[in-house]
Amino acid sequence: MWEYTDKLKDFFLNPKNVGEIENPDAVGEVGNIVCGDALKLTLLIDKESERITDAKFQTFGCASAIASSSALTELIKGKTLNEALNLTNKDIADFLGGLPREKMHCSVMGKEALDAAIANYRGQQKPAEAEEKIICKCFDVSEEKIRKVALENHLTTVEEITDYTKAGGGCGACIPDIEALLKTIWSVKAMPKAPVALKKLTNLQKIAMIQDIIEKDIRPRLQADGGDLELIDIEGNK
Amino acid sequence: MKTIYLDNNATTAIAPEVYEAMTPYLTQLYGNPSSMHTFGGQIHKKIEDSRSMVASLIGAQPEEIIFTSCGTESDNSAIMSALQLYPQKRHIITTRVEHPAVLSLCKYLSRKGYRITFLPVDSLGRLDMDFFYKSIDNDTAIVSIMYANNETGVIFPIREIGETLRERKILFHTDAVQAIGKIPINLRELPVDMLALSGHKLHAPKGIGVLYIRKGVRFSPYIIGGHQEHGRRAGTENVASIIAIGKACELASKSFQGETLYIANLRDKLERALIERCPNPRINGDVGNRLPNTTNLSFEYVEGEAILLRLNEHGICASSGSACTSGSLEPSHVLKAMGVPFTAIHGSIRFSLSRYNTEEDINTVIEIMPMVIKTLRELSPYGRKKDEKCSTPYYLES
């Protein structure tokens, strides 16, 4: 059973702004029925002020997908398009008092639908399917989407990418590609940082740092092959 | 709010008679059955009584029954025993629709270098027997095929499989966790070498299982330690739960006459009504050959978790094969193996009944479920046009 907040449950059981606006100014459609969730967002936009005057949604998906969609419509009503573009998937999750980690992709779907609707209003074309490099074939997730979501949410592991985009959660064949992509994203990002001055560490600090690396990087891989590793002691810098 | 429990393939209520029988062993009668003193030793006798009751439900001899901690342990023990005893044989046959107790173990063994055949099923969830016959070879150490599927209730041809394997002298294990207590099983005339069952699926508590090992079939223990269970399963006996599963088996053997029919009738009423009242339904599984308590239905254009949580608001407990309920992103491996379209898997709901369900329970679900489907289809971008009329139950129409 998922740990949903009361606010999320309320937005699932009594969703606000359900439906489809007739003659909308903007439409954003994301997801598909095969993947398990889909969202159609329709907007009314005041031409002069570029303000969203009404927003409605239709969602096929689980409780958190429905609640996230409804939260999105509440969040963007009354905002200008530029203000709405600044909204992040985290804002949607926060509005609901947080989402279970594995359900973060529901908030990402909301943000995607919003971006799609605004692009639709502004006459921007979504890049053609052929141009997009699809990484995860099970859930049809592009490299661009993974890159964007990873940067926006500071995601560094494949599990996090799966929680936020579903990529890698199907057959798993693309997991090495996601790992490689994450490496390129974060190595480029880390470059401009000035080198940190080396400072003397106490043994405890060293142990904590080593344990951290063992826990996060080394142990999961060893355990995957049935092995394990334990830090016994530190002598000086060895 | 009254709980309407229709998730009995997940777990069952402890029968009041079972609870009553087991409680003395949690309070006054706490002795260790291996002790020399009467206080402990007398309990040994009670365990043997319980063993006889389990044996009699499935047509076995008491000495063919060993108590384990759960169905999973029984399944694991059976398969690992075969591999221990026949180390030169490196092939296992199982199905694509097994419970994880067998499926995950086989996948693990496949990573360890064993060759595993996962038998496919057809669109009704029936086993591909041609594939089965073709898969058997001299390298096959054990065949592990479930008696009945937990998600769809479809019953597999255990006799036919067992007869073939007996001729070929290949060990045959069946995970009968879902079948026991729901349909009669008589091992006196059924060629099965090992069989697993679980207490909490037949109104005993969680944490108790049984492994049946036919007399004459060699067995290599999975848990090594003391002499309990004649050295075949070490560990101090879970006395209260052993007493409980004995009582539960006794109740189950009495239930076959009337109760099975009662449950089947309720299930059929529920199924028929939901199909009538919710547009675009679909039954998953072979309706002609399944457990009497199970129905697995799909409602396209809506998602299972959302259905479950809405039902939950009315105290109705069921389960779904949808991806969103699994914790992973993968929908039901059983429905996928059957080739059920993804649109239908996401909207799949399983109701599984027990003798404690009433006509009133079923009427409530018949009333609530169409409303839930209708509401969710209205929310869905796919559902609207296809679902204008979700009819109201007859007794609410004025």
Side-chain angles (χ1 to χ4, degrees):
Chain A
M1 181 134 200
W2 298 108
E3 295 269 336
Y4 288 141
T5 64
D6 287 342
K7 188 156 183 194
L8 189 148
K9 278 186 217 156
D10 186 42
F11 266 77
F12 163 60
L13 293 172
N14 310 298
K16 297 186 174 72
N17 313 315
V18 176
E20 191 175 359
I21 295 173
E22 275 181 45
N23 306 318
D25 296 311
V27 182
E29 275 183 282
V30 290
N32 68 65
I33 200 162
V34 176
C35 294
D37 41 26
L39 164 55
K40 184 176 184 183
L41 178 70
T42 45
L43 305 177
L44 277 186
I45 297 163
D46 179 68
K47 305 276 176 314
E48 252 166 52
S49 59
E50 282 213 323
R51 204 170 280 282
I52 298 170
T53 52
D54 198 8
K56 283 200 189 312
F57 80 93
Q58 285 179 310
T59 291
F60 162 76
C62 60
S64 64
I66 290 168
S68 295
S69 310
S70 185
L72 167 74
T73 54
E74 284 289 283
L75 279 166
I76 58 174
K77 276 208 279 187
K79 285 203 167 61
T80 66
L81 293 186
N82 284 335
E83 283 166 353
L85 275 175
N86 281 329
L87 198 82
T88 64
N89 66 281
K90 193 172 173 300
D91 294 328
I92 297 171
D94 288 348
F95 181 83
L96 294 168
L99 286 175
R101 200 171 47 89
E102 296 87 342
K103 295 283 188 183
M104 283 304 286
H105 61 83
C106 296
S107 66
V108 172
M109 180 169 77
K111 166 68 174 161
E112 265 190 298
L114 173 64
D115 289 352
I118 295 176
N120 167 261
Y121 177 74
R122 292 182 168 167
Q124 294 157 348
Q125 287 294 315
K126 198 177 171 252
E129 295 258 330
E131 289 171 39
E132 274 191 327
K133 189 180 164 203
I134 298 298
I135 298 263
C136 171
K137 293 192 175 65
C138 297
F139 293 111
D140 204 22
V141 187
S142 68
E143 178 178 320
E144 198 39 47
K145 175 168 171 184
I146 295 175
R147 188 181 290 276
K148 191 161 168 264
V149 174
L151 286 172
E152 275 179 12
N153 295 282
H154 303 282
L155 310 181
T156 55
T157 67
V158 177
E159 293 78 45
E160 286 174 323
I161 294 292
T162 306
D163 291 340
Y164 279 70
T165 68
K166 292 187 167 189
C171 69
C174 62
I175 286 175
D177 299 342
I178 300 175
E179 266 171 1
L181 179 60
L182 281 172
K183 239 176 223 161
T184 64
I185 294 172
W186 294 113
S187 62
V188 171
K189 270 266 141 181
M191 286 295 270
K193 261 194 190 166
V196 186
L198 292 171
K199 55 180 177 190
K200 269 210 174 275
L201 296 169
T202 67
N203 250 1
L204 267 180
Q205 285 169 319
K206 284 181 203 165
I207 290 172
M209 287 170 79
I210 293 170
Q211 286 288 25
D212 192 49
I213 290 175
I214 290 176
E215 278 300 326
K216 281 201 185 124
D217 292 341
I218 305 174
R219 178 163 286 152
R221 282 159 209 242
L222 289 178
Q223 283 179 340
D225 297 328
D228 206 351
L229 169 73
E230 208 174 342
L231 176 64
I232 295 172
D233 201 5
I234 297 183
E235 285 180 39
N237 278 332
K238 286 181 212 166
Chain B
M1 184 171 55
K2 194 192 165 214
T3 296
I4 297 176
Y5 191 75
L6 297 171
D7 200 10
N8 287 279
N9 287 8
T11 195
T12 58
I14 297 177
E17 299 91 332
V18 168
Y19 178 73
E20 198 185 330
M22 75 184 286
T23 36
Y25 298 89
L26 293 167
T27 50
Q28 314 94 297
L29 298 172
Y30 56 82
N32 187 327
S34 301
S35 297
M36 276 297 120
H37 43 72
T38 317
F39 181 67
Q42 62 178 350
I43 291 175
H44 179 75
K45 169 82 179 56
K46 298 293 177 193
I47 289 182
E48 294 316 307
D49 291 349
S50 183
R51 198 185 304 280
S52 299
M53 289 193 261
V54 174
S56 113
L57 175 67
I58 56 176
Q61 302 295 316
E63 59 272 26
E64 294 175 320
I65 300 297
I66 65 175
F67 292 113
T68 66
S69 68
C70 57
T72 299
E73 187 197 320
S74 300
D75 287 328
N76 273 241
S77 305
I79 293 170
M80 296 307 275
S81 165
L83 302 182
Q84 283 285 320
L85 292 170
Y86 305 101
Q88 73 286 5
K89 296 191 171 189
R90 307 281 292 172
H91 177 227
I92 301 169
I93 300 175
T94 185
T95 76
R96 287 177 63 188
V97 298
E98 288 301 302
H99 186 273
V102 170
L103 196 62
S104 299
L105 174 66
C106 286
K107 285 182 181 162
Y108 167 83
L109 289 168
S110 147
R111 290 196 293 275
K112 295 283 171 196
Y114 287 89
R115 188 162 55 89
I116 318 281
T117 302
F118 296 97
L119 300 175
V121 294
D122 68 6
S123 61
L124 295 181
R126 296 175 301 196
L127 209 57
D128 185 336
M129 289 300 283
D130 288 338
F131 206 109
F132 165 69
Y133 291 119
K134 276 186 239 155
S135 306
I136 309 167
D137 60 39
N138 292 331
D139 197 31
T140 308
I142 186 166
V143 175
S144 179
I145 291 175
M146 66 196 336
Y147 207 112
N149 186 268
N150 47 316
E151 292 190 28
T152 58
V154 172
I155 300 167
F156 284 156
I158 296 301
R159 175 179 306 283
E160 189 182 336
I161 297 165
E163 279 165 1
T164 306
L165 293 173
R166 184 154 290 179
E167 265 171 43
R168 299 287 301 263
K169 297 195 166 49
I170 294 169
L171 276 179
F172 179 33
H173 163 257
T174 181
D175 175 344
V177 163
Q178 290 296 343
I180 295 289
K182 293 173 190 151
I183 49 173
I185 291 177
N186 185 358
L187 289 165
R188 261 189 294 274
E189 46 173 42
L190 195 65
V192 166
D193 297 315
M194 291 187 273
L195 174 147
L197 68 98
S198 168
H200 77 101
K201 308 282 199 215
L202 73 156
H203 304 291
K206 293 148 192 76
I208 182 76
V210 162
L211 177 60
Y212 157 87
I213 307 164
R214 184 176 292 278
K215 212 184 243 175
V217 169
R218 292 171 67 205
F219 179 70
S220 167
Y222 191 54
I223 293 187
I224 317 279
H227 56 85
Q228 293 88 353
E229 303 294 293
H230 295 286
R232 294 188 294 178
R233 202 281 185 180
T236 300
E237 296 86 344
N238 181 356
V239 176
S241 294
I242 289 174
I243 303 301
I245 199 173
K247 189 71 191 173
C249 287
E250 190 192 36
L251 292 175
S253 55
K254 284 183 196 156
S255 77
F256 282 129
Q257 296 89 26
E259 276 174 10
T260 309
L261 193 65
Y262 168 77
I263 294 169
N265 283 339
L266 284 185
R267 189 267 317 264
D268 292 344
K269 176 179 176 175
L270 173 67
E271 192 173 81
R272 265 199 307 272
L274 293 184
I275 287 172
E276 264 172 45
R277 280 162 203 176
C278 305
N280 299 309
R282 172 196 165 102
I283 301 179
N284 299 313
D286 179 8
V287 290
N289 186 33
R290 56 178 175 167
L291 297 173
N293 79 320
T294 308
T295 171
N296 191 315
L297 299 165
S298 278
F299 302 95
E300 286 188 285
Y301 320 116
V302 289
E303 196 280 326
E305 190 216 67
I307 302 175
L308 290 186
L309 289 184
R310 294 242 166 190
L311 290 178
N312 190 51
E313 288 299 304
H314 299 275
I316 301 168
C317 309
S319 77
S320 166
S322 144
C324 294
T325 57
S326 66
S328 72
L329 295 166
E330 284 285 292
S332 155
H333 68 285
V334 175
L335 300 184
K336 267 201 309 192
M338 288 162 60
V340 176
F342 275 95
T343 51
I345 298 182
H346 290 306
S348 71
I349 291 288
R350 178 191 70 186
F351 293 106
S352 46
L353 285 66
S354 81
R355 58 173 175 262
Y356 298 117
N357 290 122
T358 62
E359 189 96 25
E360 196 194 337
D361 289 349
I362 299 305
N363 287 341
T364 310
V365 180
I366 293 172
E367 181 189 320
I368 302 291
M369 185 75 175
M371 296 196 299
V372 168
I373 301 292
K374 183 168 186 277
T375 315
L376 290 174
R377 280 187 176 158
E378 279 169 1
L379 283 175
S380 163
Y382 304 111
R384 291 214 125 181
K385 286 160 222 95
K386 284 140 193 149
D387 178 28
E388 297 292 276
K389 45 164 190 13
C390 217
S391 56
T392 343
Y394 59 98
Y395 48 85
L396 291 182
E397 281 168 4
S398 49

